[in-house]
């Protein structure tokens, strides 16, 4: 009977160790994503230009960011929801760009520096390409 109790205790400890390890790995993974890939944490930058969609639902504002002496300029595109209390969402982030050429093809499709995005769900982030 004592051996069975010991086996149960060892099984329980092993389960807790496995679950604890999975939680630890998940937290580390989320931390890496949050620190390096979350588009909500992009630098603000300096205002460059903006274009409003033909129906006035969205405005895409472009900002240029200077990462300092060791990195190149980057463009951040911020989508403004004009009919939703001007809520914003970052939808474009590209490295080694200093200008933003924004063209709306229709009410929901915008081209920024050659990248076509369908508002409001599409995003372009150079860190996730290729």
């Amino acid at each position: 009977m004592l051996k069975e109790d010991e086996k149960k205790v060892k099984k329980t400890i092993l389960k807790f160790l496995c679950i604890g390890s999975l939680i630890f790995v998940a937290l580390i993974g989320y931390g890496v994503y949050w620190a390096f890939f979350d588009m909500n944490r992009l630098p603000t930058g300096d205002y460059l230009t903006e274009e409003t969609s033909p129906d006035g639902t969205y405005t895409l504002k472009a900002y240029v960011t200077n990462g300092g002496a060791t990195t190149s300029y980057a463009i951040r595109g911020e989508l403004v929801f004009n009919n939703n209390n001007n809520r914003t969402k970052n939808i474009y982030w590209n490295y080694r760009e200093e200008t933003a050429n924004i063209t709306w093809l229709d009410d929901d499709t915008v081209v920024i520096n050659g990248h076509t995005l369908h508002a409001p769900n599409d995003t372009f982030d150079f860190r996730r390409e290729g």
Side-chain angles (χ1 to χ4, degrees):
M1 182 90 170
L2 189 58
K3 281 193 172 187
E4 284 183 28
D5 289 341
E6 286 178 13
K7 284 183 180 180
K8 286 181 182 179
V9 168
K10 285 182 181 180
K11 250 185 177 178
T12 303
I13 290 172
L14 185 61
K15 283 181 186 178
F16 280 117
L17 284 174
C18 287
I19 291 170
S21 297
L22 286 173
I23 290 172
F24 178 74
V25 168
L27 289 174
I28 294 296
Y30 178 75
V32 168
Y33 168 79
W34 178 81
F36 299 107
F37 297 102
D38 187 1
M39 285 190 76
N40 293 320
R41 297 192 68 242
L42 296 175
T44 305
D46 298 320
Y47 176 79
L48 195 58
T49 186
E50 68 182 56
E51 290 292 329
T52 302
S53 64
D55 66 354
T57 302
Y58 306 109
T59 299
L60 183 64
K61 294 184 177 183
Y63 299 85
V64 62
T65 62
N66 182 358
T70 60
T71 60
S72 183
Y73 289 94
I75 297 293
R76 178 177 67 89
E78 177 183 82
L79 187 67
V80 179
F81 296 80
N82 297 329
N83 299 334
N84 193 357
N85 296 326
N86 291 331
R87 184 175 66 92
T88 63
K89 175 184 176 185
N90 289 326
I91 65 167
Y92 184 82
W93 178 243
N94 204 9
Y95 189 58
R96 293 193 174 122
E97 290 182 343
E98 295 182 37
T99 60
N101 183 11
I102 303 169
T103 306
W104 286 92
L105 300 180
D106 58 37
D107 294 338
D108 299 318
T109 308
V110 64
V111 178
I112 179 167
N113 292 347
H115 300 279
T116 303
L117 301 173
H118 300 280
N121 298 322
D122 283 357
T123 60
F124 176 81
D125 187 343
F126 76 94
R127 299 169 297 183
R128 296 187 181 138
E129 297 302 311

